[in-house]
Amino acid sequence: QVQLRESGGGLVQAGGSLRLSCAASGTIFSINTMGWYHQAPGQSRVLVARICNNGFPTYTTSVKGRFTISRDNAKNTVYLQMNSLKPEDTGVYICNLYQEARDNWGQGTQVTVSS
């Protein structure tokens, strides 16, 4: 069983920055992908960024150049540095760990960007 604990959300003005963290615990395999999803109010969750255990990242187009995903394999932790935040970035950010053909989800952390 896997537990994911997110932190780092909050309220920020447009143009500001936040850094999200997600620590995984439980049964973690060496080969996995960790990532962040964004769920805006009334919308389905969509992928923001993900990173493989070898460190290769992918981003959705809307965050390229603004967000950076990274991970610390020794700590089973993934980070999302969010810069130049926009009001449309508002929502719940949910951590994901994919391993052994199975998705594991955190409860999410709220990010609110005011204009």
Side-chain angles (χ1 to χ4, degrees):
Q1 196 168 0
V2 174
Q3 295 82 42
L4 300 173
R5 184 178 65 188
E6 300 106 330
S7 61
L11 172 64
V12 64
Q13 289 187 331
S17 298
L18 284 173
R19 188 187 193 218
L20 307 183
S21 299
C22 172
S25 60
T27 303
I28 310 298
F29 295 95
S30 59
I31 299 176
N32 62 64
T33 299
M34 298 187 77
W36 291 94
Y37 285 70
H38 173 223
Q39 187 163 21
Q43 303 294 319
S44 301
R45 65 183 63 172
V46 295
L47 177 67
V48 173
R50 60 188 174 197
I51 184 167
C52 301
N53 53 282
N54 63 6
F56 185 80
T58 58
Y59 299 93
T60 192
T61 300
S62 63
V63 307
K64 285 182 179 178
R66 298 191 299 124
F67 292 8
T68 302
I69 190 169
S70 61
R71 62 186 288 167
D72 183 333
N73 289 336
K75 296 181 179 180
N76 291 321
T77 298
V78 64
Y79 305 96
L80 186 67
Q81 177 67 43
M82 305 188 294
N83 298 329
S84 302
L85 282 160
K86 304 176 181 180
E88 51 263 43
D89 295 321
T90 293
V92 179
Y93 284 75
I94 305 164
C95 180
N96 172 272
L97 185 149
Y98 181 79
Q99 63 178 13
E100 300 292 302
R102 183 172 180 175
D103 281 305
N104 300 274
W105 299 96
Q107 292 192 332
T109 184
Q110 175 70 39
V111 171
T112 303
V113 184
S114 63
S115 56

